[in-house]
Every structure is written in structure tokens, then in C-alpha cells.
Amino acid sequence: MTDPLLRIAAALDRIAPPPPPAADPLAHPAYGWDGATLRAARSFAPVPIERLVGIDAQKAALTANLDRLAAGAAAHDVLLWGARGTGKSALVKAGVGAVQAAGGALALVEASATSLDRLPGLFALLDGVPRAFVVFLDDLGFDTPADGRALRSLLEGGAEGRPANVRLVVTANRRHLVPRDLSEQESAINPRDVIDDSLALADRFGLSLGFHVVDQDHYVAIVERYCTAYDLPFDAHEAVGWATKRGSRSGRVAWQYVTDLAGRHGRAV
């Protein structure tokens, strides 16, 4: 007699929906990668890059690198690091959008930091596709140097390299991705080896862009740019008051203020 548990498992397999088919890698501007399937992003509407204020050097460096990638030329993997809410993620998406708007054959693939071990499968899927891809890992960080070695291998030195049409773009709150834990250094035979291991991952990125704390003038300029773009009344005093109540000044806080302002005026943004 068949085991009842086996019969139940077989019945569940029969009624379970099949996995969704992989999205066409040539058909969409942006995708998500869940570790097994490439799916089209429901919507991809990045902020126009000209609305990102106070990061002109970072914008120029990133878009130049993305232009080269889209053109099939040599391009770097990129690390964008620094203070929270300063526009790192927004710039990645805006940069891809700007290249696409200019006719560049480039797409964004957002991947989970928890599926690093499955990135080689994504690389194999994208290899040979007549299009360039930015594989985007957002808000990445590791607790120990050992946790970052899988990514380090993908960036350089792995047995199977990335395709020429694929580059990694990573955002993180800290420059070195792995914290320098003093207790770990003290327990090491050679503490310098621990520090070097922590630095080795960040050094694998050919382009590293820093984002720093937003001062009040920069914050107000961001708000003013958004207000102009959406035809909203601009009040610097009110904008500063909003940031003071939030206890933070950043591009993210500026956008939250503008969203609130638009809602009070019955407008959409």
C-alpha cells in the first residue's frame, strides 16, 4: 500500500501551479531575479537623473560607465557607498533610465543579496544576450569577511567569470561592506590579515562612489528642485521644519516632504 504521506505529496504536486516562465531578457527595461527565475519588473519609472541634486560628480562617473557597458566597451563593477538616504539607489535606477532614454541597450536586474550563490545561474542566462545588464544588489552588507567571499569570487578570481555584457552595481551604507570588528582582530593570529580581508572585497570594484551626509543647503536645494519639477509651492522654512521634526536631512526625507506637500495640495507625484 502506498504511504498516505506520499499520496498527499503527489496530489499537492499535481495541483501546485507551475513556476512562471522566465521573462524575455530583450523585452523589458527592468527585471527581478529571485534566485531561480528572471521576471519582468511590474513597473520601472526611475526619477529623471537631472532631478538628483548635489551629486553631479557621482552622476557623471556612473552614467559614463553605464554608457560604456551599453556600447559593449569595457566597464567597471560599481560600489556606491555612504550615508543613508543620499540617493545611491535612486542614482542607479536613474542612471539606467538615462542610458535607456538615450537609446542604450541596457537593462536593470535587481537581485536579492540573499541569493548570491545563485548569481552564476543568472550570469549563464544573460550570457550571449545582445544587450547589456546591470545586476543591482541594493543595501548590501556582511557581518564577517567570510560572508563576503562569495561576492568577491564573483567580482574577480572565480572559476567562471561574468559575461562581458553583465556588471554588478552594489549600494551599501559603509565603504568596506564588512565591519572591522576589533574582537575578531584581537583573536586572529595576525590582525592585519583580518583587515586586509575586509578591504579586499571593496577593492574588487573598479569604480567606487562615495555619498556623504546632506547639509541644510543641499537638502533645501533638493526640495526646491522637486517643487519646481512638480509645480508645487516652495517654502524653504517649512521644508527645514519638516526635516527637523524627522531628525534627519537627506534626499529621501526631501522626497517624503514633497510627497506630503503634494498630497496637501491634492496633487500626485
Side-chain angles (χ1 to χ4, degrees), residues 41-60:
R42 288 191 298 273
S43 63
F44 182 60
V47 174
I49 198 166
E50 63 272 10
R51 290 186 196 163
L52 299 179
V53 178
I55 52 172
D56 291 344
Q58 295 93 327
K59 287 196 293 186

Side-chain angles (χ1 to χ4, degrees), residues 104-265:
L106 181 69
L108 181 79
V109 182
E110 189 159 5
S112 170
T114 61
S115 60
L116 291 180
D117 58 334
R118 298 184 182 181
L119 283 181
L122 175 61
F123 296 159
L125 180 66
L126 301 178
D127 191 11
V129 176
R131 190 183 198 186
F133 295 90
V134 167
V135 174
F136 179 35
L137 300 172
D138 195 20
D139 197 20
L140 190 65
F142 302 106
D143 293 327
T144 68
D147 293 335
R149 288 184 188 127
L151 179 59
R152 196 171 87 190
S153 179
L154 291 173
L155 288 165
E156 183 179 320
E160 185 175 358
R162 283 165 295 105
N165 63 325
V166 178
R167 286 295 175 267
L168 289 168
V169 176
V170 172
T171 66
N173 289 338
R174 53 181 180 258
R175 165 70 175 88
H176 299 305
L177 295 176
V178 180
R180 301 184 187 183
D181 183 36
L182 183 59
S183 63
E184 183 181 17
Q185 294 177 27
E186 290 173 344
S187 65
I189 295 174
N190 184 347
R192 181 67 204 176
D193 290 343
V194 176
I195 297 174
D196 289 343
D197 204 15
S198 298
L199 301 179
L201 176 55
D203 289 345
R204 291 298 192 276
F205 294 92
L207 181 59
S208 180
L209 303 174
F211 292 71
H212 307 291
V213 175
V214 172
D215 62 22
Q216 183 164 299
D217 290 343
H218 185 181
Y219 167 78
V220 170
I222 295 171
V223 172
E224 185 176 17
R225 181 72 62 89
Y226 279 136
C227 287
T228 300
Y230 293 103
D231 195 24
L232 293 167
F234 170 65
D235 184 328
H237 180 74
E238 183 183 86
V240 171
W242 171 275
T244 301
K245 290 177 183 178
R246 304 281 296 191
S248 174
R249 290 189 301 262
S250 69
R252 181 177 298 133
V253 171
W255 176 249
Q256 290 167 347
Y257 166 71
V258 170
T259 299
D260 184 79
L261 179 64
R264 286 186 272 126
H265 285 80

